[in-house]
Amino acid sequence: MLHRLLLLAPLLLLAANSTADTPGQVPGAGLVEFAVLANGMRIIVWPDHDIPNVALYNWVRVGSRNEVPGITGLAHFFEHMMFNGTHTHAPGEFDRMLEANGARNNAYTSGDVTVYQDWFPRAALEPIFALEADRLRNLAFDPEVIESERGVVYSERRLRVEDSHFGKLQEQVQATAFLAHPYGIPTIGWPSDIESWTLRDLKTFFVTNYAPNNCTMVLVGDVDPDDVIALARKYFEPLPEQTPPPPVRTIEPVQRGERRVNVEVDAQTPLLQFAYHALAGSDERWPALDLLARILTDGDASRLYRSLIEEQKLAISVASHIEDGFDPGLAWFFLSLPAGGDLQKAEAAFTNEIERLIKQGVDTRELARARSQALADFWRGLATIDGKAQALGTYAVLRGGHEKLFDTPRLYEQVTSEDIRTLAAEFLRPTNRTVGVLKAGAPQEGRAP
């Protein structure tokens, strides 16, 4: 018996090695199944049997990037309309039927995509497919419902933009940063457009963009890929393919000088926003740009936090956001100042930190810290089936292919200090930025001074 165990030991070791994950790679790449239906709809399935639930994300390739003056905000409007009834189900019935099956749902819209999310027990897979296919095929355009939802969207705009100093300034900076590309259009739409969309506008926009060949459906959870693909063929393949939406051909011209936006409102807290033209989501340098932003703003040890908040006490918060769309988006940096804060000193201190980074680069400890933060966030995102569905869809639609998700840790490990300094020199130059300034203390329009 002992002899047999000794013989088995090397075999077990070999077996273990053959299934071990390659360092720097996300496990599970071999489990993912991909199919394209006859009508062009893409289906991606990642089985994960840890819990008996499923996360379904339907990524529709439509956002404010696909709009023009007069119909701005329509992509976001359909995020709402897709829950408001079909020719076979009354308004509200979609939610009621999902809840009856133990499911929850939500949706969001960006400049590039509109994403519909369902979370449900595995037994509800076929009813969910039936409901999702129904609202793609049979969406109703009831004038009364449209007017009601138009009011809801307008209220959302007031909440997120007009009553938000941060949102108000960001909208102005976004519109100023882009002269030609539709990324300058606010996702929620301009007020006059929200007020004036016509029924014909809505129907044309829906038929053009909500075609199966413009959708990528991602499922992660306790499913068999063969069963999922068979159900997809049953419920989604009968939907007719449409002429693809017209491509966005406009390329934003190179910015040749700093742009500025000044907003004056009755506020207690001054704000500063800096928006630099940067990268598309599929650009291989995206991990380096992410690490650059983290070195500047992620955590108490970040450069801007230490300099502007702890040492100089010019700001009370710093943050950043990197857009990862189909086309080159913006790298944002946000500063909130204390009441009565000095905007000029804060802007100068921010600019000094950017120039210091470009001249001196970053040290290995800073890079290691930022990489650890990025990878920890990445792995944390993959700890749930919901996080996996979000990540898989992001890479499939916006980052150049779902396969790239599984190489992400390796790509972060390969970023060097020189990569970051080079990227900062290329993008974080004053001629490539739009500065937004929100001054506090000014009277609001219509108020007595």
Side-chain angles (χ1 to χ4, degrees):
M1 176 63 81
L2 178 61
H3 179 66
R4 187 182 176 199
L5 285 175
L6 288 173
L7 287 174
L8 281 174
L11 296 176
L12 289 171
L13 181 60
L14 286 173
N17 284 342
S18 69
T19 56
D21 304 305
T22 304
Q25 283 194 318
V26 178
L31 301 175
V32 176
E33 297 283 342
F34 174 73
V36 181
L37 305 184
N39 56 17
M41 186 169 181
R42 302 166 184 85
I43 308 292
I44 306 175
V45 189
W46 187 355
D48 180 337
H49 303 289
D50 282 351
I51 59 173
N53 285 4
V54 182
L56 182 157
Y57 278 50
N58 187 16
W59 293 70
V60 186
R61 295 164 66 97
V62 60
S64 49
R65 174 180 177 274
N66 305 99
E67 298 166 353
V68 296
I71 61 163
T72 66
L74 271 189
H76 171 255
F77 185 65
F78 274 103
E79 176 198 320
H80 287 243
M81 283 298 293
M82 289 292 280
F83 295 90
N84 273 292
T86 67
H87 297 305
T88 55
H89 296 297
E93 200 170 334
F94 180 88
D95 285 340
R96 286 194 291 274
M97 293 178 73
L98 255 68
E99 290 173 7
N101 282 280
R104 297 286 185 272
N105 64 79
N106 207 339
Y108 65 86
T109 308
S110 73
D112 298 273
V113 293
T114 307
V115 182
Y116 298 89
Q117 307 150 297
D118 300 321
W119 305 275
F120 52 90
R122 62 187 175 199
L125 180 62
E126 184 159 4
I128 300 299
F129 265 47
L131 285 166
E132 288 290 349
D134 177 67
R135 63 177 176 172
L136 279 177
R137 177 191 286 275
N138 298 314
L139 187 69
F141 291 85
D142 184 319
E144 188 173 334
V145 173
I146 291 170
E147 291 313 309
S148 172
E149 209 57 42
R150 193 194 302 267
V152 172
V153 169
Y154 214 108
S155 296
E156 186 177 340
R157 182 184 161 82
R158 280 194 291 270
L159 175 69
R160 297 183 183 280
V161 181
E162 286 148 23
D163 293 341
S164 164
H165 296 153
F166 181 93
K168 194 194 308 279
L169 181 61
Q170 188 177 22
E171 182 179 86
Q172 294 289 310
V173 172
Q174 182 97 21
T176 305
F178 290 100
L179 297 179
H181 194 280
Y183 277 158
I185 295 172
T187 300
I188 202 163
W190 294 114
S192 60
D193 291 346
I194 296 173
E195 292 167 359
S196 60
W197 302 317
T198 67
L199 184 58
R200 182 177 181 181
D201 292 334
L202 268 61
K203 288 184 175 179
T204 301
F205 194 85
F206 182 77
V207 170
T208 303
N209 294 289
Y210 278 75
N213 45 308
N214 207 33
C215 297
T216 298
M217 183 168 284
V218 174
L219 292 101
V220 179
D222 192 15
V223 293
D224 181 298
D226 291 339
D227 293 342
V228 170
I229 293 169
L231 284 174
R233 296 195 189 287
K234 176 180 178 181
Y235 286 99
F236 293 105
E237 209 159 50
L239 302 177
E241 181 180 1
Q242 302 291 339
T243 302
V248 176
R249 294 176 294 190
T250 302
I251 298 173
E252 181 67 18
V254 175
Q255 188 168 333
R256 300 295 184 187
E258 183 180 275
R259 300 172 191 154
R260 301 187 72 83
V261 172
N262 291 303
V263 173
E264 298 188 7
V265 296
D266 183 12
Q268 291 185 328
T269 305
L271 301 175
L272 276 170
Q273 297 181 356
F274 303 87
Y276 297 84
H277 291 281
L279 302 172
S282 59
D283 195 299
E284 293 181 353
R285 296 171 293 171
W286 208 90
L289 185 60
D290 180 31
L291 295 181
L292 167 59
R294 289 175 183 273
I295 287 170
L296 287 168
T297 66
D298 194 347
D300 294 358
S302 64
R303 288 194 178 195
L304 293 178
Y305 186 94
R306 283 189 285 117
S307 175
L308 273 66
I309 296 179
E310 288 190 346
E311 297 169 8
Q312 302 185 66
K313 304 191 186 313
L314 293 169
I316 55 176
S317 73
V318 298
S320 62
H321 170 66
I322 310 297
E323 296 175 347
D324 59 343
F326 293 125
D327 301 316
L330 299 174
W332 290 85
F333 296 92
F334 309 103
L335 305 184
S336 296
L337 277 59
D342 191 320
L343 283 161
Q344 287 187 332
K345 284 186 178 178
E347 181 178 339
F350 172 86
T351 303
N352 287 340
E353 285 299 325
I354 297 297
E355 290 176 348
R356 185 169 73 88
L357 190 150
I358 292 172
K359 289 178 182 174
Q360 302 175 5
V362 299
D363 63 42
T364 53
R365 286 185 303 175
E366 286 180 301
L367 176 57
R369 182 186 63 84
R371 183 182 286 126
S372 295
Q373 290 171 323
L375 291 176
D377 287 346
F378 176 79
W379 289 114
R380 200 158 32 240
L382 296 184
T384 65
I385 58 173
D386 180 48
K388 285 180 176 176
Q390 172 68 37
L392 200 61
T394 299
Y395 279 80
V397 177
L398 299 172
R399 299 277 182 89
H402 72 271
E403 304 89 347
K404 295 189 175 184
L405 165 70
F406 298 92
D407 277 337
T408 295
R410 182 178 60 80
L411 297 177
Y412 275 94
E413 295 290 352
Q414 290 177 344
V415 176
T416 67
S417 299
E418 184 56 25
D419 291 336
I420 291 177
R421 196 200 65 77
T422 301
L423 208 60
E426 181 178 353
F427 292 111
L428 302 189
R429 48 191 166 78
T431 56
N432 187 43
R433 77 181 185 185
T434 300
V435 182
V437 180
L438 187 137
K439 297 179 181 177
Q444 284 186 324
E445 186 179 349
R447 286 191 181 183

